[in-house]
Amino acid sequence: MCLATRGLVNSFGNVNAVLTIDSSIVRAIVAHARRDHPDEACGVVAGPLGSDVPTRHIPMDNAARSMTFYEFDSMEYLRVWREMDDRDEEAVVIYHSHTATEAYPSRTDAAIAGWPDAHYLLVSTREPDSEEIRSFRIVDGVVTEEEVNIVDATVKS
Amino acid sequence: MAIEVRVPTILRSYTGGSKVVEGAGESLSALIDDLDAKHNGIKGRLITAEGGLHRFVNIYVNDEDVRFLGALDAKLKDGDSITILPAVAGGALGFAAAAALLGR
């Protein structure tokens, strides 16, 4: 059961205060987070440049293999980013899981976040039978929550 | 010939919006000094006050992470391609604890 939490939407200075994402991708992200639980899981959803539409789910290794920390493996990161470049894609969504705390960016998440144009999606797997899914913009360390609009069929399966 | 440097979005404020810039230098350290001369301030985003590479910035020479090539001492030559990517990392752990864990 997926529970998308509606966050406070602040549209000042942020014209895209919503993440629209296909339900099949959300299910795949949740499955990845469950599979790696209790370690944190991480990955990307790529989409066509400038589209703001996430279409291609890429689960990534958590090089830290930790319950409280995640980091993209540096070589996988380079490979995936080059592949997106070749396909005229960008990282529309960057996601990771929190496995014992809420789906809200930690100070660490906010301090390190380096892609101001990405939607930072967090999934909490602390409850065994439901997931909290929330999305944020993180720009210069400032976290702004946005609405998550889960839809069917933006992606052909 | 020169060394091509691919700049991530977050650092393009230093490069006038350019995604790719050129630099020169026989080592990564020299290249970063050269970049900083042309794009004032970019060095501070790549190198800490103590003079080491920032823990949460990934720099690649061609297909290799510079951490495996001697970091700032990595040797460069004309025609090399440098890619800079901000680390994608974080998690529930507090920042101080994370930094300590990672020996930052």
Side-chain angles (χ1 to χ4, degrees), chain A:
Chain A
M1 178 68 190
C2 282
L3 291 177
T5 314
R6 252 183 118 86
L8 290 172
V9 178
N10 177 358
S11 60
F12 293 102
N14 184 351
V15 291
N16 294 314
V18 59
L19 167 65
T20 298
I21 186 167
D22 194 88
S23 59
S24 65
I25 294 175
V26 172
R27 281 196 298 275
I29 291 172
V30 167
H32 179 207
R34 284 286 173 209
R35 198 160 65 236
D36 286 10
H37 185 94
D39 284 351
E40 294 193 5
C42 55
V44 173
V45 191
L49 269 176
S51 69
D52 203 35
V53 178
T55 54
R56 190 166 66 93
H57 173 219
I58 310 163
M60 307 273 287
D61 285 339
N62 175 2
R65 296 189 189 288
S66 162
M67 295 189 284
T68 51
F69 196 74
Y70 81 97
E71 182 166 21
F72 283 5
D73 172 79
S74 79
M75 296 318 296
E76 183 180 36
Y77 183 11
L78 179 66
R79 192 174 69 243
V80 166
W81 250 247
R82 284 207 175 140
E83 188 181 75
M84 287 193 294
D85 260 354
D86 291 344
R87 298 167 61 120
D88 291 323
E89 291 175 333
E90 62 189 337
V92 178
V93 171
I94 295 173
Y95 71 87
H96 75 281
S97 63
H98 285 174
T99 58
T101 56
E102 67 172 334
Y104 191 88
S106 65
R107 284 176 55 211
T108 314
D109 294 331
I112 299 174
W115 292 102
D117 298 327
H119 300 269
Y120 281 85
L121 187 78
L122 276 89
V123 178
S124 172
T125 54
R126 68 177 163 179
E127 301 296 336
D129 51 8
S130 69
E131 294 83 24
E132 183 190 23
I133 299 164
R134 295 166 74 178
S135 183
F136 307 85
R137 293 286 187 167
I138 308 177
V139 179
D140 293 333
V142 177
V143 174
T144 308
E145 183 155 13
E146 58 186 4
E147 186 180 346
V148 180
N149 180 26
I150 298 177
V151 297
D152 285 318
T154 57
V155 178
K156 292 188 185 74
S157 54

Side-chain angles (χ1 to χ4, degrees), chain B residues 46-100:
Chain B
L46 305 175
I47 294 182
T48 63
E50 293 76 35
L53 272 183
H54 264 298
R55 170 64 183 82
F56 294 117
V57 176
N58 294 5
I59 302 180
Y60 305 87
V61 178
N62 304 317
D63 296 326
E64 276 292 331
D65 188 323
V66 294
R67 292 189 186 100
F68 303 116
L69 298 172
L72 286 168
D73 296 330
K75 293 281 173 269
L76 304 181
K77 58 184 186 307
D78 277 356
D80 278 343
S81 174
I82 304 293
T83 303
I84 304 171
L85 295 176
V88 178
L93 195 61
F95 191 76

Side-chain angles (χ1 to χ4, degrees), chain B residues 16-58:
Chain B
S18 295
K19 184 176 174 180
V20 180
V21 297
E22 287 196 343
E26 293 187 343
S27 66
L28 180 61
S29 174
L31 174 77
I32 291 173
D33 284 338
D34 180 61
L35 288 178
D36 197 61
K38 298 168 184 158
H39 311 287
N40 186 32
I42 199 168
K43 182 177 180 175
R45 301 296 297 270
L46 305 175
I47 294 182
T48 63
E50 293 76 35
L53 272 183
H54 264 298
R55 170 64 183 82
F56 294 117
V57 176
N58 294 5

